[in-house]
Amino acid sequence: MLEKKLICTACGSTFSLRENLARCQKCREPLEIEEFISKNIDTEERSDIFKRYKSFFPFQSSCSGLSLGEGMTPLLSAPSFAEKYGVKEIFLKNETVNPTWSFKDRGTAASIHHAIELGFRRIGTVSTGNMAASVAAFGARAGLETTILVKGDIPSEKLNPVAIYNARLIKALGDYDRLYEESLRLGERYGIYFMNSDVPFRVEGSKTIAFEICEQTEFNVPDFVIIPTSAGGNIRGIEKGFREFYKSGLIPHIPTIVAAQAEGCAPIARAYEKNSLTIERFPNPHTVAHAIENPFPPSGNQVLRMLHRQRGVAVAVSEESIYESQLELAGMGLFVQPASAVSLAALKKLRQTGSISSEQRAACILTGSGLKYTAVFDAYNLNAEECLIDDLEKLLAVK
Ligand SMILES: *Cc1c(COP(=O)(O)O)cnc(C)c1O
Ligand SMILES: [Zn+2]
């Protein structure tokens, strides 16, 4: 692994992969691992994504025994949606079937692999949701000392699904952005590998979403890939995955990358509209799409640079359209989080504005499971009919 370098996404400075760095030591912008160019996919390997795509990772050992079965998720075609919205094809990448029910498992597994190769015995993260559960679960699997830092005011509905994995859980009172930076600083000092939302190996893990989409479409990739975006780690990984396959000559073009946000917290979409390459803190964030409610995304600037370079798009959708899309997806059998429904809402909006034509194909990334956030049930009129058993026949008798 050691010949690949970490490159600063802003100033181009390079650093060694032997160090566990999350930020450029000169300009504090995110780092990215040098591109991997290869035509080598181990198509016989059907369960371990890090073995299947081995030539696209810098790992030296195979580190088996760390996997919980992350990745290799289905890409479903949704002809009913394609017909309804007048596009050629709509794909749904179902990340809800990951071991802790979100795509975060891919980046967690990649980061733990790196941590172990560097000799770390202590890992951690800062999160209030899916990433916390993911790191707690994979830390338990790997037998590492795992510390999860959460906001002081986290509701028990969110805390308990993390606590169940028996990691060390610390509620830290104070400013969340500061907690993020403090964790990286203390991690460096005390040898704790903090795998926060946009660390380089989390981005590497997310690459595999793109790799799988390429393979699942027989390398005839969709025109658009729509990604609910918060910190920016996942969208960076997906773009890097397509870029690596493109440069390797495996796909004819890179799909248009779409950063999808909620209007209630849209720092990236707002900067994009203003043609700015710098994120500003989004004031008073509020959206039902909690998993993407980051008002000051750590990879925000890099996402803007990437969208600019790749002619990507950023779009923000209304709360109403998020709820509507969540119900629509459930109506075809997929119960996703509100944050994940943002991808379908964005597709509809881009179709309405003509950005996606009737001849084009789009993939929505369904980032996480709806069961993670059951409070949303209150927003819907979900009810059941009721009757005495004796009256059941009357209800069912209609032919
Ligand atoms: C983390 C998360 C996102 C956002 O990913 P980023 O890498 O932070 O941009 C989107 N949806 C779900 C369900 C998530 O857990
Ligand atoms: Zn730099």
Side-chain angles (χ1 to χ4, degrees):
M1 83 161 148
L2 305 159
E3 70 274 17
K4 286 282 176 196
K5 289 196 169 63
L6 281 167
I7 306 175
C8 174
T9 55
C11 76
S13 302
T14 60
F15 303 90
S16 164
L17 270 189
R18 278 174 222 263
E19 287 176 87
N20 166 34
L21 295 176
R23 292 280 176 273
C24 175
Q25 302 299 291
K26 293 188 181 137
C27 74
R28 302 306 292 167
E29 278 291 293
L31 298 172
E32 177 175 294
I33 299 171
E34 237 177 294
E35 287 163 4
F36 294 79
I37 308 295
S38 170
K39 281 199 181 333
N40 215 337
I41 301 170
D42 182 357
T43 50
E44 298 292 298
E45 172 59 56
R46 304 207 148 270
S47 57
D48 188 326
I49 46 175
F50 301 105
K51 289 183 184 153
R52 188 178 181 89
Y53 303 115
K54 191 169 185 281
S55 15
F56 295 87
F57 284 93
F59 301 128
Q60 283 180 319
S61 58
S62 75
C63 268
S64 44
L66 298 182
S67 171
L68 286 168
E70 61 285 357
M72 304 294 273
T73 62
L75 183 73
L76 307 171
S77 181
S80 59
F81 286 179
E83 193 177 328
K84 186 165 167 195
Y85 297 111
V87 296
K88 194 162 165 209
E89 188 158 22
I90 294 179
F91 295 106
L92 304 170
K93 181 69 170 157
N94 184 8
E95 290 295 296
T96 75
V97 302
N98 275 294
T100 71
W101 311 286
S102 86
F103 76 86
K104 295 284 197 304
D105 293 338
R106 297 173 187 266
T108 302
S111 302
I112 289 189
H113 202 144
H114 184 227
I116 287 178
E117 288 202 348
L118 293 184
F120 282 84
R121 298 300 304 160
R122 304 174 75 192
I123 60 164
T125 198
V126 178
S127 165
T128 49
N130 290 323
M131 193 164 53
S134 180
V135 172
F138 280 78
R141 167 71 161 153
L144 297 171
E145 187 191 317
T146 306
T147 304
I148 312 289
L149 305 178
V150 298
K151 271 200 283 201
D153 58 356
I154 184 176
S156 60
E157 185 210 6
K158 284 190 169 181
L159 197 63
N160 291 336
V162 180
I164 192 78
Y165 297 108
N166 207 22
R168 182 171 186 197
L169 253 176
I170 303 175
K171 290 190 199 180
L173 309 173
D175 178 58
Y176 194 66
D177 293 339
R178 207 180 132 226
L179 180 59
Y180 196 97
E181 292 303 323
E182 269 299 278
S183 69
L184 295 178
R185 190 178 72 80
L186 294 174
E188 262 170 49
R189 175 169 296 178
Y190 298 106
I192 309 170
Y193 190 117
F194 271 97
M195 40 195 73
N196 294 351
S197 53
D198 67 337
V199 298
F201 276 84
R202 214 166 252 299
V203 173
E204 291 302 298
S206 282
K207 276 191 334 194
T208 55
I209 296 178
F211 293 169
E212 290 172 18
I213 292 174
C214 292
E215 288 204 81
Q216 288 165 321
T217 57
E218 275 148 19
F219 302 97
N220 179 15
V221 290
D223 301 286
F224 291 82
V225 175
I226 306 171
I227 306 140
T229 300
S230 185
N234 195 34
I235 194 170
R236 286 180 51 209
I238 292 173
E239 186 273 339
K240 186 171 191 250
F242 285 118
R243 177 160 33 101
E244 289 182 347
F245 268 25
Y246 175 71
K247 291 197 175 173
S248 300
L250 291 167
I251 53 172
H253 64 96
I254 298 174
T256 302
I257 305 289
V258 181
Q261 300 204 292
E263 278 170 6
C265 184
I268 295 173
R270 199 171 263 192
Y272 172 86
E273 277 157 27
K274 288 199 277 184
N275 252 318
S276 163
L277 288 179
T278 318
I279 289 293
E280 279 171 40
R281 179 180 299 276
F282 194 89
N284 310 314
H286 183 72
T287 169
V288 66
H290 297 298
I292 57 168
E293 197 184 283
N294 186 331
F296 196 57
S299 271
N301 294 339
Q302 170 52 13
V303 171
L304 292 169
R305 289 190 288 269
M306 179 273 284
L307 293 176
H308 184 75
R309 185 184 71 228
Q310 302 284 45
R311 303 218 178 104
V313 178
V315 62
V317 298
S318 69
E319 290 296 286
E320 201 189 337
S321 73
I322 297 171
Y323 283 113
E324 192 186 274
S325 302
Q326 187 185 31
L327 279 186
E328 257 179 293
L329 285 159
M332 69 149 288
L334 293 169
F335 179 33
V336 305
Q337 283 184 243
S340 310
V342 164
S343 59
L344 179 62
L347 184 151
K348 294 192 275 186
K349 186 162 178 180
L350 293 174
R351 179 70 190 108
Q352 270 161 17
T353 55
S355 305
I356 299 181
S357 84
S358 61
E359 282 311 301
Q360 290 182 305
R361 299 149 70 233
C364 295
I365 312 297
L366 304 181
T367 46
S369 162
L371 278 178
K372 288 286 187 85
Y373 181 59
T374 50
V376 80
F377 290 143
D378 297 341
Y380 301 125
N381 279 324
L382 305 176
N383 47 41
E385 297 173 67
E386 199 179 307
C387 72
L388 294 170
I389 292 176
D390 285 341
D391 297 332
L392 189 57
E393 190 170 354
K394 260 192 282 173
L395 289 185
L396 300 183
V398 207
K399 278 207 195 114

